[in-house]
């Protein structure tokens, strides 16, 4: 057997799983400022760990409410105005109805009082003494001139 007739060695490849990269924590934005000092701590087994010291959060950030007072006051004012709008609509409707009613009373008084005055002035003169009666049927009109 020659080299050409001999079977070639077979190589077997086993696939290697691809490991995903380690997940990292999301980045938190940091306010720019002076870089803190690097601190090193020696553990009991002799290893040294180096890193930055974390400063505690300021107390004022914890005491401050999440929503400003001005925003709360504006929201409450809007809710109050919305609640009052129905009452304001009824109030304007009431004032308009009251004005129409007073106007009708004034007109009624003027009609009644005017009718009373008209009866007094234009009423018949029967039974009254001292008046002048003019009979128009006896009048004579000559040349556009009235003679009684």
């Amino acid at each position: 057997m020659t080299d050409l007739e001999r079977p070639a060695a077979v190589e077997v490849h086993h696939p290697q799983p691809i490991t995903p990269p380690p997940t990292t924590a999301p980045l938190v934005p940091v306010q720019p400022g002076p870089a803190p000092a690097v601190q090193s701590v020696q553990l009991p087994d002799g290893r040294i760990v180096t890193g930055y010291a974390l400063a505690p959060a300021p107390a004022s950030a914890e005491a401050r409410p999440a929503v400003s007072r001005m925003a709360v006051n504006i929201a409450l004012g809007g809710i109050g105005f919305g609640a009052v709008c129905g009452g304001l609509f009824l109030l304007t409707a009431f004032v308009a109805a009251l004005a129409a009613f007073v106007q009708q009373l004034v007109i009624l008084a003027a009609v009644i009082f005017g009718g009373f005055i008209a009866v007094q002035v234009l009423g018949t003169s029967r039974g009254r003494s001292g008046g002048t009666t003019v009979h128009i049927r006896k009048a004579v009109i000559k040349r556009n001139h009235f003679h009684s």
Side-chain angles (χ1 to χ4, degrees):
M1 244 180 164
T2 62
D3 286 337
L4 292 175
E5 296 175 350
R6 214 183 299 166
V10 178
E11 292 183 30
V12 178
H13 294 283
H14 295 287
Q16 300 245 344
I18 298 175
T19 58
T23 58
T24 58
L27 296 177
V28 178
V30 177
Q31 294 292 335
V38 177
Q39 295 182 349
S40 297
V41 177
Q42 185 172 7
L43 298 176
D45 62 354
R47 290 183 297 166
I48 296 176
V49 179
T50 304
Y52 296 105
L54 297 177
S60 64
E62 295 172 2
R64 199 172 81 200
V67 180
S68 69
R69 288 182 181 255
M70 183 180 295
V72 171
N73 289 340
I74 291 172
L76 289 176
I79 292 171
F81 181 74
V84 169
C85 280
L88 289 176
F89 179 72
L90 290 177
L91 181 66
T92 55
F94 175 75
V95 168
L98 184 64
F101 179 70
V102 168
Q103 181 182 8
Q104 288 178 357
L105 285 180
V106 168
I107 291 172
L108 180 64
V111 167
I112 291 175
F113 184 70
F116 176 74
I117 296 296
V119 168
Q120 294 297 321
V121 170
L122 301 175
T124 58
S125 60
R126 294 181 190 157
R128 289 191 292 177
S129 60
T132 303
T133 303
V134 177
H135 297 284
I136 295 178
R137 283 181 250 157
K138 294 182 178 178
V140 177
I141 297 175
K142 293 183 178 177
R143 294 186 192 160
N144 296 327
H145 189 66
F146 180 76
H147 298 282
S148 59

